[in-house]
Amino acid sequence: MLVFAQRPAVSGEAVAEPDGYRMENYRAPTPPTLRGAKVLDTPAAEALWRAKAALFLDVMPRDVKPANLPPGTIWRDKRRDHIPGSVWLPNVGYGALSSEMDAWFRKSLGELTEGRRDAPMVFYCLTDCWMSWNAAKRAMDYGYSAVSWYPAGSDGWARTGLPLEEATPRP
């Protein structure tokens, strides 16, 4: 089971934007910026979503079934609800990716954008989660130029009364 180290946000805490990727403690306050990307609040994200003007990418991690479960143990994936119409690319927001995960992320972005490096994309996961920050940064490092980051995530979206739908991870 994937466990995030959690730390409550401290009111008014300033978080500096790192030069590289966040490598640990992914559930922690995030910086207010991401160099090279547009940072969206909920009204801006909603406007893009309603206009269908960007590809929404949910990068929330997915638990992997442990290999050492006793025989006969029933495994059920945890339900993930996300912004309707989003594509769920789980596990691409870690600070370091395996070569297989890196290749899958690159391939997925290429297919979803039809090879357009200027295709508008919005990355998100949850509030105070570095996974979307890392994934958006990585997409820019891959050469994508119209990257947006929605730091409020699916929980921030839901808090404003906007709809969610059950997510299915991209194969």
Side-chain angles (χ1 to χ4, degrees), residues 9 24 36 43 68 83 99 104 112 119 124 126 135 145 148 158 167:
E24 60 186 7
N68 61 350
I83 298 169
S99 58
W104 180 76
L112 293 166
Y124 72 93
L126 296 172
S145 61
S148 295

Side-chain angles (χ1 to χ4, degrees), residues 21-81:
Y21 299 109
R22 175 73 170 227
M23 301 299 284
E24 60 186 7
N25 300 325
Y26 296 104
R27 286 305 310 267
T30 55
T33 59
L34 174 53
R35 278 185 294 280
K38 181 185 270 187
V39 179
L40 305 176
D41 61 10
T42 300
E46 180 185 6
L48 286 172
W49 176 74
R50 290 198 184 280
K52 297 181 179 8
L55 173 63
F56 277 70
L57 298 165
D58 177 1
V59 299
M60 181 71 182
R62 180 180 184 201
D63 290 336
V64 177
K65 180 179 178 182
N68 61 350
L69 286 178
T73 301
I74 297 173
W75 173 264
R76 290 192 177 95
D77 284 327
K78 183 178 175 185
R79 180 180 168 127
R80 168 73 177 143
D81 290 330

Side-chain angles (χ1 to χ4, degrees), residues 5 8 26 28 31 43 59 73 89 109 117-118 124 132 135 153 159-160 171:
Y26 296 104
V59 299
T73 301
L89 300 177
L109 290 179
R117 297 291 175 133
D118 64 344
Y124 72 93
S132 55
R159 277 193 300 273
T160 66

Side-chain angles (χ1 to χ4, degrees), residues 95-138:
L97 298 181
S98 68
S99 58
E100 295 83 10
M101 183 59 71
D102 182 71
W104 180 76
F105 188 28
R106 287 175 188 269
K107 180 180 180 207
S108 294
L109 290 179
E111 289 172 356
L112 293 166
T113 63
E114 299 175 343
R116 289 186 45 226
R117 297 291 175 133
D118 64 344
M121 296 184 279
V122 176
F123 288 87
Y124 72 93
C125 55
L126 296 172
T127 303
D128 288 335
C129 182
W130 283 82
M131 292 286 175
S132 55
W133 191 94
N134 279 346
K137 179 176 178 52
R138 186 166 277 117

